[in-house]
Structures are given as C-alpha cells and as structure tokens.
Amino acid sequence: MSRPRTFRVVAVWPAPAPESRYEKTDRARVVALARKWAAAGATATVEQDVGSWQWRHVRTFEPPAPAVEEQRPVVEHQAVEHDQDDDDLDMYARLMRQAPTSRDSRGRRTCRHVVGRRGIR
C-alpha cells in the first residue's frame, strides 16, 4: 500500500523567532499557508516528501519588498513564471476535452469504437 504524498511549508522569519513548519497531504492548503506567511514577512519554502526522510523543493515565497518611491524602468518582455497550480489546471482542461472512454477496474479500455451515434460500445 502506497502512502499519500506529503507537502510541508517551512517559514523563516527575519526577527529572532523559531522557524515555523506545517505538513499536510493537501498541496493547495500548504501553498495557501506559505503565501499567507510570506505576506506576513517570512520566507516560506514549500517542499514535497519523496520518501526516506528526504524532501524535494517545490517553490519558495519571498516576503513583499518594501515600497520604493522611485519607479523602475518598464521591461517590454518579461519571462512568464509558470505556477504548478496553472499546470494542473491545464492538465484538467485537456482531460475534460478528451472523449469519454469506458474502462475496467484496472484502468484499461474495454471498448475502442463508437457505433452509430449511440455512444461508446
């Protein structure tokens, strides 16, 4: 039996304070908490459990920069940062565009054709 993926957020605060940790299997909840802690001034790192007490870095959230009075020069072409959530949404959108197929309990297709507008047989 495989265990579910675990995600954690580790936040380091600039003031002398203990680092904060939070672990859950719900990635969205962990990322939301990391964003909340980053908005409060911490550097939050989201990691994924890969087994054997090892963690893979997923994303780092930095605290907001202090307001600067002068304006920065406008850059015409900026690199687009892809968010893992956006990639998941794209995957789900592609999945929903696929035609439905009948599958057995092992995930294998049980039919391979459509007969006379009567759906999959």
Side-chain angles (χ1 to χ4, degrees):
M1 186 162 70
S2 66
R3 60 188 189 136
R5 276 192 225 160
T6 303
F7 295 90
R8 77 175 177 186
V9 59
V10 178
V12 179
W13 301 89
E19 71 176 23
S20 304
R21 288 180 187 245
Y22 180 77
E23 290 185 19
K24 270 297 197 204
T25 56
D26 186 8
R27 180 175 51 89
R29 184 176 290 177
V30 170
V31 170
L33 183 63
R35 285 185 177 142
K36 180 179 173 185
W37 283 351
T43 301
T45 305
V46 178
E47 299 172 330
Q48 178 183 359
D49 182 18
V50 292
S52 301
W53 297 282
Q54 296 180 1
W55 295 87
R56 181 179 63 88
H57 177 266
V58 176
R59 190 164 180 192
T60 301
F61 293 94
E62 298 291 333
V68 179
E69 297 297 325
E70 62 185 67
Q71 292 181 345
R72 295 183 181 177
V74 177
V75 179
E76 291 187 23
H77 298 287
Q78 292 181 343
V80 177
E81 180 181 326
H82 290 287
D83 190 23
Q84 185 67 27
D85 297 333
D86 294 338
D87 293 340
D88 288 346
L89 290 176
D90 292 341
M91 180 189 66
Y92 294 135
R94 285 193 309 271
L95 181 65
M96 296 309 292
R97 282 194 302 259
Q98 293 176 355
T101 57
S102 178
R103 297 183 183 270
D104 63 5
S105 62
R106 293 172 294 193
R108 295 181 183 163
R109 291 183 181 175
T110 57
C111 62
R112 301 185 190 278
H113 62 280
V114 176
V115 178
R117 296 189 202 142
R118 289 183 283 166
I120 296 177
R121 299 286 168 178

